[in-house]
Structure formats: structure tokens, C-alpha cells
Amino acid sequence: MSTTQPPLPPVEVTPDSRPYWTAAEAGKLVIKQCTACGENYFYPRPFCPFCLSDKTIWLEASGKATIYSYTVVARAPFFRVPAMVTLDEGPTLLSAIVDCDPDKITIGQRVTVTFLATESGPPLPAFRPE
Ligand SMILES: [Zn+2]
């Protein structure tokens, strides 16, 4: 039996999320920033979830984050450690911790973004321990 990881399915690219995936192809993690109220947010959407302004811009994130919560899934097709991570820029997002020993993950642990190839199209951002 092969232990090779199956390729990740392609991501869904919508008009609103296209810049996010284009950035991912360039190895960059981007989030949205509202220029009306100054809040950073994720997931990308055209209206600020804090003040509903449409004055928003794309902001390149550092890719540095802290694990907010996580779980370990014994049998998972792709990710054994789904996790919520809080970016240094503020937003918390649902992702996964990869390249790690699931027994050594802790809340508050520092992680950094990495990009995982998919079957076709843009790569999928995930996080690995720093
Ligand atoms: Zn706003």
C-alpha cells in the first residue's frame, strides 16, 4: 500500500478571491484591509465586515501566525491537523498545520505560511511550525 499523499483537489477561484490565489501562485499570502476603518480581515470579500465599507485594498501579510486552536484527525485524506491560526496582522483563519508532529503542536505556537501544490491551479496556503 502506498503512503504517498494524494494531490490536493483544485481550489475554487471566484472573481472576489482571484487576487488572493494569484498572490498564492507568487508565494504570497494576502488579506484585505479596509481603508475606511483600518481593520484587516479574512476571508477576502469586497465589503469590510466591520464597517461595511467597500473601500478595501489587498495587503501582503507576513505569513507569520500563532496557533489559536487545532485538532488532530486520526484518519484524514489531506490534513491531520486542521487549525485556526491568527495572523500577525490580526485576522484568524481556518487552515491546517503541516510538516509537523501532531503530538508536539501547542496553542500559541508560532507558525509560518507554506504553499501546497494542488491537482491544478493555484497552491493552497497552510502553515508549518517556525
Ligand atoms: Zn471597515
Side-chain angles (χ1 to χ4, degrees):
M1 186 174 137
S2 170
T3 57
T4 304
Q5 174 91 4
L8 294 167
V11 299
E12 184 185 352
V13 180
T14 64
D16 286 346
S17 69
R18 183 170 304 284
Y20 174 80
W21 295 114
T22 300
E25 284 175 327
K28 294 174 181 176
L29 180 69
V30 293
I31 58 177
K32 297 282 310 243
Q33 183 176 67
C34 173
T35 58
C37 74
E39 293 281 353
N40 297 332
Y41 64 92
F42 189 92
Y43 59 93
R45 58 211 120 152
F47 293 92
C48 170
F50 297 95
C51 73
L52 303 182
S53 170
D54 65 354
K55 296 188 178 0
T56 66
I57 58 169
W58 291 93
L59 179 74
E60 184 178 345
S62 64
K64 307 288 186 192
T66 303
I67 297 176
Y68 177 78
S69 70
Y70 72 98
T71 187
V72 176
V73 183
R75 293 178 186 219
F78 300 111
F79 297 121
R80 289 196 58 206
V81 189
M84 300 286 290
V85 301
T86 302
L87 299 176
D88 285 2
E89 290 78 12
T92 296
L93 54 110
L94 178 62
S95 185
I97 311 301
V98 298
D99 300 340
C100 65
D101 178 349
D103 293 334
K104 297 209 168 95
I105 298 290
T106 56
I107 304 264
Q109 186 173 351
R110 296 288 293 162
V111 291
T112 190
V113 74
T114 183
F115 294 89
L116 309 176
T118 61
E119 275 178 0
S120 61
L124 184 69
F127 291 82
R128 63 159 55 115
E130 275 191 344

